[in-house]
Amino acid sequence: MTWPLENDTSAITKKIAKNDIDKNRVKKVFSLTTIVFATALLMMLIMFESGYETTKDRMAEGQPQVVFYDLSQQQIELLYSEENIESIKVTETENGYDASITIVDATKMTQYGFSSAVDNISSKYDIHHVTRNDLFIDSLPNGGLLNQKNMVLMGVAIFIIIVSALVIYNVFYLSVVNQVRQFGQLRTVGMTQQQTKKIMRYERKFLCRIGVPIGLLIGGLAGYLLQPDGWDWIAAVVWGIIISVIINFVVKVSLNRPTKIALSISPILSSKYMMERFDCKVTNKEKRKLSSLGLAIISITSHWKSILVSVLSLGLSGLLFVLAATYTASIDPESIVKKDVYQYGQFVIDTTGKYSEKVSEIENFKQKIMELPNISNIKQVVETDISWAGKNSTGKDQLSIITDNDFASIQQFRESGDLDYQQLVQSNQIVAVNGVEGISKGDTVEFTFGDGTQKTYTVGGVLDGDLYSNTAIYGGWFLMPAELITENSASFDVSIRLIVKANDTGLEHTIISLEKLVDMSDGLTLTTMQEAIASKEATIRQVGISIIGVTLFLLLFSIITFASTIITNIATKKREYAMLQSIGMTWKQTGKMALCESCVLAVGSLILTLILGIILGQILIKGLISAGIFYLSYTFPLTLFTVYCIVVVLIILTITISAFYSLQKTPLVERLRIVD
C-alpha cells in the first residue's frame, strides 16, 4: 500500500528483484528446481492416493452392498418395510429369493458400523445366508485416526516440505551474504527496510508463480498416469490450491532469516565488508597450516552455520536410505519360509480334485514316498471351500479336514471344550477357532459344501487364535474330523497338501526320487524349500528396490541442497580465491582447496549417516522384532552403503570441479573488484 504523499517505488523494487533473479542463475535454477520438484512430488503423492480411493469408490458404485440368499416370500415383504434399507432388488431362485440390498447412509458409516447394521438386519429377520460386498467395505473408513499407509504418505510429504525449506533457505542465505555490498549501497541511496522486504517478497512471488504451476502440471500428469481410472478434476483443483498455499508458505518461512540479514545491513557495514561473512568465526590461533586441506578446514570452520544445514540435510537423507537398506538386508527369507508349512518338512506336494477320488490316490502315493530311504515323516493337510451359517452370522471360508494324528498337535491351543477326537466323531461335532463372529461352544453351524450338500454340525470346542501363527497349515475358521466327511460320502473338490520331511543327508537324491514320483502321477506339483526360499528372496528384493527407490527419490533433494551449497559457496568466495592467487597461489592449489572443502563436507555427512545408521538401524530392527516381526536379524547393508558413498563423493567432486572451472572464465582483476 502506498500512503498519500509517498512515492510509489513498487516498479523499481520489482525491477531490482527481477534483475537479481536473472543475474543470480544459481539462485534461480536451484530455487525453481526445488519448488517444481517439491510441488510435483506432493501433487503426485496426493493424486495417486486420491485416485486409488476414488477408483475403489467408483468400482463399488452400482453394486449391491449386501446380498441375502434363500429368502422366503415373507422375509422379502418384511425387508421392503425395513426403514434401514434404502433399496432392494429381488431375484427368484430355486431355493427361494435373493435380495440385493443397499443400506441407508452406508457411505457415511465406518466398516464396523456397516457390519453391525447388516448383522442387525439379518438377525432381525432370521437370515442365515449373507454376503457382504468386500469392495464396498474397503471403501469405508476403518474407524482409526490414521492407517499405516496414510502415516507413511504424511511422513514423506513432511520430509519433502522440510528439505525444500532447507534448500531454499540455504540458497537465499548464501545469496544475501554475497550481496552485502549491494544491499548496503541501496540503503545508502535511500532504500528503506520496507522496500528491502518488498524485494525479497517479489523474488518469492516470482519463483512461486513460475515453479508452482509447472510442479502442479507435472505432478498432476504423473498422478493421472498412475491412476487414470480414479482421476477427479474437482479433487485435482482443490488439492492444487492447497499445495500452492503450502509451498508459498514454506518459501516464505524459508526466506525469513535471509530477509532479516538483508534488513540488518547498514552502509557502514557494507563499506567495511571485504571477505568476511555474517557467520564467520574469528580464530585466536596465531599459527595455521596453509595447505590446501588446512585452508579448506579454515574456510569451513569460519562459516560453519551455512555449511551445517547442507551437511545435516544430506546426512539425514542418507540416514533414511541406510535405514531402508538395513530393513531390507535384515529380512531373513529362510526364517519366513521355515515359519510357514516348511517347518514340517523340506518338500510340499499339492493336488486338487474330488475328495472321494483323491483320498485313496493320495494314500497310495504316500506309501510310495515312505518307501524312499531318506524319508522320515509325511504330514497331510486337506481343505475345502464351504459356506456356513451360524445362529447370528454367516460367511464363506475354508474347512480343514483333520485326522486323529493331526488332532494331537492342536490340543495345546484348546480354549474351551474337552476336544476328544473320537467324541467329536461320535457326536457329529466340529472345532472352531476363536475369532469366528458369533460362534461359541455348543452352537450349531450349517455347512454347504461345493457339491451343494448341506449338513449341520455342533461346535464341540474352540481353539485359540494362536493356532494360525504357530502351525501355519490351517487356513480356515473350522476343523472337521475326516470320518465325518467319509460318512457323508462327500464328492466335493478339495485341495490336498503333503508336507514331506527327509533327513538332511542325501537331499539331492531325495529330490530326484520325489520328482520322478510326481512326474508319474497326474495333477501333482512339487515345491522344495530351496525353491520357496528363492521365491521369497525375489519378493524381498522387489520390495527392497521399491523402498530404497523411494528413499533415493527423496535423497535427490538433499543432493540439490548440497550442490547449491558448493556452487554458491565457490561463487561467493571468488574474491577470496582471487586474493590468494594474487599473492602466488596457483589455479591448481585453489582447485585443491575447493575439492578438499567439498570432500570434508561429504565425508562429514557420510560419517554422520554411518554412525546414526548403525545406532538407529539396530534400534529399528530390535523394535520390529519385539513387535512380533520374527523374520528379522540385524544386518548392516555394507555393499549398498559403499555404493552410496562412492556415488555421493563422485557427484560432489563433479559439481565442485564444474563450478570451479566456470570460475576460471572470470579474469583475476574482475574478481578483485570491490563491487561484484
Side-chain angles (χ1 to χ4, degrees), residues 204-504:
R204 170 175 61 84
K205 290 182 178 179
F206 174 79
L207 294 172
C208 289
R209 285 172 182 172
I210 296 177
V212 171
I214 296 175
L216 292 176
L217 181 62
I218 295 174
L221 180 61
Y224 172 77
L225 294 176
L226 292 172
Q227 284 290 343
D229 296 333
W231 181 259
D232 187 347
W233 281 105
I234 297 178
V237 172
V238 171
W239 279 112
I241 294 173
I242 294 174
I243 292 173
S244 299
V245 173
I246 292 175
I247 295 297
N248 274 275
F249 176 76
V250 169
V251 177
K252 181 179 179 181
V253 171
S254 303
L255 294 183
N256 279 343
R257 175 61 179 166
T259 301
K260 289 180 180 179
I261 293 176
L263 294 177
S264 66
I265 297 172
S266 66
I268 297 176
L269 177 62
S270 65
S271 64
K272 292 181 178 180
Y273 181 80
M274 292 294 290
M275 289 174 55
E276 297 85 5
R277 301 184 48 164
F278 281 98
D279 56 351
C280 279
K281 180 181 178 181
V282 180
T283 179
N284 295 323
K285 292 185 179 181
E286 297 180 357
K287 295 181 180 181
R288 302 294 293 269
K289 189 175 181 180
L290 298 181
S291 63
S292 298
L293 179 60
L295 290 172
I297 294 175
I298 293 172
S299 177
I300 292 173
T301 55
S302 63
H303 52 273
W304 60 271
K305 291 182 180 178
S306 61
I307 299 298
L308 183 61
V309 174
S310 299
V311 173
L312 286 177
S313 176
L314 184 59
L316 294 178
S317 298
L319 175 62
L320 290 178
F321 171 80
V322 171
L323 290 179
T326 299
Y327 172 76
T328 304
S330 299
I331 298 177
D332 184 5
E334 187 170 347
S335 297
I336 300 176
V337 171
K338 288 185 176 180
K339 187 71 173 178
D340 202 356
V341 296
Y342 290 94
Q343 63 183 286
Y344 302 102
Q346 302 97 325
F347 310 98
V348 173
I349 300 173
D350 292 293
T351 185
T352 58
K354 298 295 182 182
Y355 180 80
S356 56
E357 300 172 359
K358 282 292 180 181
V359 169
S360 58
E361 179 183 329
I362 288 298
E363 286 299 323
N364 294 331
F365 187 74
K366 287 166 61 177
Q367 292 179 4
K368 294 179 181 179
I369 295 176
M370 291 303 299
E371 291 174 359
L372 297 177
N374 205 30
I375 303 301
S376 60
N377 187 39
I378 299 176
K379 191 173 185 64
Q380 178 175 304
V381 182
V382 183
E383 291 183 329
T384 185
D385 294 328
I386 58 166
S387 297
W388 60 272
K391 181 172 59 177
N392 297 318
S393 57
T394 61
K396 293 183 178 181
D397 204 55
Q398 284 185 321
L399 171 68
S400 297
I401 302 169
I402 58 175
T403 64
D404 195 358
N405 293 333
D406 299 326
F407 195 74
S409 63
I410 67 173
Q411 287 281 8
Q412 57 180 313
F413 303 104
R414 182 178 60 189
E415 189 170 283
S416 62
D418 294 333
L419 295 184
D420 179 82
Y421 186 83
Q422 296 302 325
Q423 180 66 31
L424 292 176
V425 175
Q426 295 171 6
S427 303
N428 199 44
Q429 293 180 341
I430 60 172
V431 179
V433 179
N434 185 19
V436 186
E437 186 177 1
I439 298 295
S440 57
K441 183 180 181 298
D443 291 344
T444 57
V445 182
E446 183 184 67
F447 286 169
T448 302
F449 297 93
D451 60 352
T453 303
Q454 293 183 335
K455 296 291 181 180
T456 301
Y457 303 92
T458 303
V459 178
V462 177
L463 300 175
D464 189 271
D466 288 340
L467 174 76
Y468 295 137
S469 58
N470 286 278
T471 62
I473 57 175
Y474 300 110
W477 289 111
F478 299 99
L479 294 87
M480 174 183 289
E483 285 80 355
L484 296 182
I485 294 292
T486 305
E487 290 175 2
N488 294 329
S489 301
S491 60
F492 47 79
D493 289 331
V494 295
S495 62
I496 300 178
R497 169 169 288 183
L498 300 180
I499 308 169
V500 182
K501 185 175 183 180
N503 299 324
D504 293 333

Side-chain angles (χ1 to χ4, degrees), residues 546-566:
S546 301
I547 296 174
I548 295 173
V550 172
T551 58
L552 287 176
F553 205 49
L554 299 176
L555 190 61
L556 181 60
F557 268 123
S558 299
I559 293 177
I560 292 175
T561 308
F562 215 89
S564 68
T565 301
I566 292 173

Side-chain angles (χ1 to χ4, degrees), residues 521-538:
S521 304
D522 295 331
L524 298 180
T525 58
L526 171 66
T527 306
T528 67
M529 181 187 293
Q530 295 304 319
E531 291 174 344
I533 292 174
S535 175
K536 188 64 65 176
E537 286 177 343

Side-chain angles (χ1 to χ4, degrees), residues 566-586:
I566 292 173
I567 295 174
T568 310
N569 192 41
I570 291 176
T572 55
K573 291 168 62 177
K574 57 186 177 182
R575 184 184 297 108
E576 180 180 337
Y577 291 140
M579 293 184 66
L580 291 172
Q581 289 174 345
S582 66
I583 60 175
M585 181 176 280
T586 64

Side-chain angles (χ1 to χ4, degrees), residues 99-111:
S100 301
I101 305 296
T102 57
I103 307 297
V104 175
D105 294 331
T107 56
K108 300 178 182 178
M109 299 178 180
T110 62
Q111 294 180 5

